[in-house]
Amino acid sequence: GRVIGVALETGEHLAARRVVSSADPKRTLCGLVPATCLDPEFVRAVNNIRFRGAAAIVRLVLGELPRFTARAADGALRGAITIAPSLDYLERAYDDAKYGGVSRHPFLEARIPTLLDPGLAPAGRHLMTVQVQYAPYQLRDGPWDAAARERLADTVVAALARHAPNLGTAVLERQVVTPPDLEQRFALTEGHPYHGEMALDQIFFMRPVAGWARYRTPIKDLFLCGAGSHPGGGLPGAPGRNAAREMLRKERLR
């Protein structure tokens, strides 16, 4: 009923008084912890956490900086470049994903890191990283194959080119990272960077599941500190800070 350490794939065992996991709750409690150690009702609740990752990343290598019609100065491009003209635009973008399709007019948040660190690319070239919503984890019309990736990249470039007309000819290379890629590379269940949807029934005292919102788990001295715990994603470091405070409070009570 309590944790005593971590067993590695190599066979090595690391003894510990407590273990803190920043992996998502499902991966921690239904993957790393043997199912026989937990109450079936609790396991069912964890397995019912909705993930449904819907964000992809498109990386572009550019031969020149994009010239946005809204701003002429390069300094305006050093921060986030957001394509979200209206609430109706965002709602229509999500409507596509609800039915298993990639947004035809997606919400985009782009950055050009080479404006801050020119050494990231050869002289005269730039990198642009674009977070794309919405690109569902499971596509209605088939897998995330090469054709699906190319269609997503085409959609992103076209959406940006509506605001920066030279972008279409400026793109030299492109790379698409889909939700399944995020799951495989970074152990994010269904590719969700926030370790589960930030929906009304999965936040506050319901995160990760009802009755277990204070970073503790049914396994004594096993704590959660990732985005799957309160307050979730979007506030970097906050779940970890809160988990540390909870562990310190428990230590004082001892």
Side-chain angles (χ1 to χ4, degrees), residues 92-169:
R92 287 194 296 271
Y94 188 64
D95 281 342
D96 290 331
K98 281 195 302 187
Y99 302 105
V102 174
S103 300
R104 288 166 289 181
H105 301 286
F107 163 53
L108 304 178
E109 187 171 273
R111 287 176 172 80
I112 306 176
T114 42
L115 288 176
L116 301 175
D117 184 358
L120 293 173
R125 295 190 178 185
H126 289 277
L127 301 177
M128 175 180 268
T129 300
V130 189
Q131 181 172 316
V132 187
Q133 295 187 84
Y134 300 89
Y137 176 78
Q138 292 182 323
L139 294 176
R140 177 187 60 225
D141 298 328
W144 275 107
D145 55 16
R149 293 167 187 267
E150 287 300 307
R151 286 194 298 270
L152 174 60
D154 289 341
T155 298
V156 169
V157 171
L160 288 168
R162 281 192 285 272
H163 304 274
N166 72 314
L167 189 76
T169 56

Side-chain angles (χ1 to χ4, degrees), residues 67-71 82-85 89 158-166:
R67 295 190 291 272
F68 284 87
T69 54
R71 292 292 182 102
T82 303
I83 308 298
Y89 179 97
L160 288 168
R162 281 192 285 272
H163 304 274
N166 72 314

Side-chain angles (χ1 to χ4, degrees), residues 6 15 26 39 44-45 56-57 70 77 127 143 149 159 169 174 201 214 244:
V6 177
K26 186 173 182 179
D39 180 81
R44 184 177 297 111
I57 297 169
L77 303 180
L127 301 177
R149 293 167 187 267
T169 56
R174 56 194 198 178
D201 61 337
R214 299 191 66 84

